[in-house]
């Protein structure tokens, strides 16, 4: 029983010790902003996030509702008093001075023209490569190249047809004279001998 009472006492003491911290946290009420937001001259899209910054730290945020309206942007105190506003990824032109428990109607305008991106906003991924364009027209013909080396000799051709007979040549010169009358005499004797043989043969045939 004594142990239970001791634990209950410790619990009460723990609750009492946390109350000052809770009271301290709730002792500094935020500054509340409401208004409309535009981006590049147009009503900010529904769902766009508005972030309040003090000294480079985010101190509160809210999403844009219908018709670019936002409400109850609760901004806690920070290391400074100037409040800047980021609409999406663009810094609004308007600023405010933080006041404890303040309530301010403030319309915010942001533009991407001539404004660097918000520090810390990562660049998006690179887009896919576009399709290849059509082929261009053919260029002009180049200059003629240097002459090549001579080719190898070709094979012999087939023999051609025989040519026509030529004209008769001129008559030759007359030969020199024979060896005198001896050949004539020899010819006469040969003839006489043949006649004699023929006569003998004929006579032999008659006698038979």
């Amino acid at each position: 029983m004594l142990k239970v009472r001791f634990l209950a006492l410790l619990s009460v003491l723990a609750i009492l010790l946390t109350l000052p911290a809770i009271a301290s946290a709730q002792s500094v009420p935020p500054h509340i902003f409401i208004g409309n937001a535009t981006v590049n001259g147009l009503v900010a899209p529904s769902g766009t996030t508005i972030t309040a910054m003090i000294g480079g730290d985010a101190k509160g945020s809210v999403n844009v509702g219908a018709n670019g309206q936002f409400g109850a942007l609760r901004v806690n105190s920070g290391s400074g008093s100037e409040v800047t506003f980021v609409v999406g990824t663009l810094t609004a032109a308007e600023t405010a001075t933080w006041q404890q428990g303040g309530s301010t109607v403030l319309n915010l305008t942001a533009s991407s023209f001539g404004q660097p991106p918000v520090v810390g906003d990562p660049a998006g991924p690179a887009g896919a490569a576009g399709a290849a364009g059509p082929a261009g027209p053919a260029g002009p013909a180049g200059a003629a190249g240097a002459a090549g080396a001579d080719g190898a000799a070709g094979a012999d051709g087939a023999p051609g047809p025989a040519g026509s007979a030529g004209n008769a040549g001129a008559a030759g010169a007359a030969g020199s004279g024979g060896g005198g009358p001896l050949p004539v005499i020899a010819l006469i004797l040969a003839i006489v001998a043949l006649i004699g043989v023929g006569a003998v043969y004929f006579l032999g045939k008659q006698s038979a």
Side-chain angles (χ1 to χ4, degrees):
M1 190 66 175
L2 180 61
K3 184 177 180 180
V4 174
R5 290 180 179 178
F6 180 72
L7 291 175
L9 179 60
L10 289 178
S11 299
V12 172
L13 289 175
I15 294 173
L16 291 175
L17 290 175
T18 58
L19 286 176
I22 296 174
S24 176
Q26 294 180 347
S27 62
V28 183
H31 190 154
I32 298 175
F33 294 88
I34 60 173
N36 297 323
T38 59
V39 176
N40 293 331
L42 302 175
V43 173
S46 178
T48 301
T49 301
I50 299 177
T51 304
M53 310 287 292
I54 297 179
D57 298 325
K59 293 299 180 180
S61 63
V62 69
N63 291 336
V64 175
N67 300 322
Q69 297 179 349
F70 68 92
L73 173 54
R74 300 167 64 88
V75 182
N76 298 315
S77 61
S79 58
S81 59
E82 183 181 29
V83 184
T84 60
F85 302 90
V86 178
V87 182
T89 60
L90 302 175
T91 302
E94 295 76 18
T95 61
T97 301
W98 188 88
Q99 296 177 359
Q100 178 178 324
S103 180
T104 304
V105 176
L106 181 64
N107 294 326
L108 301 176
T109 57
S111 174
S112 59
F113 302 107
Q115 182 182 124
V118 177
V119 176
D121 180 36
D150 293 340
D156 294 338
S164 57
N167 297 325
S176 58
L182 290 177
V184 177
I185 295 172
L187 179 62
I188 293 172
L189 291 176
I191 294 171
V192 171
L194 289 175
I195 293 171
V197 173
V200 173
Y201 177 76
F202 183 73
L203 292 176
K205 291 289 287 183
Q206 288 292 328
S207 61

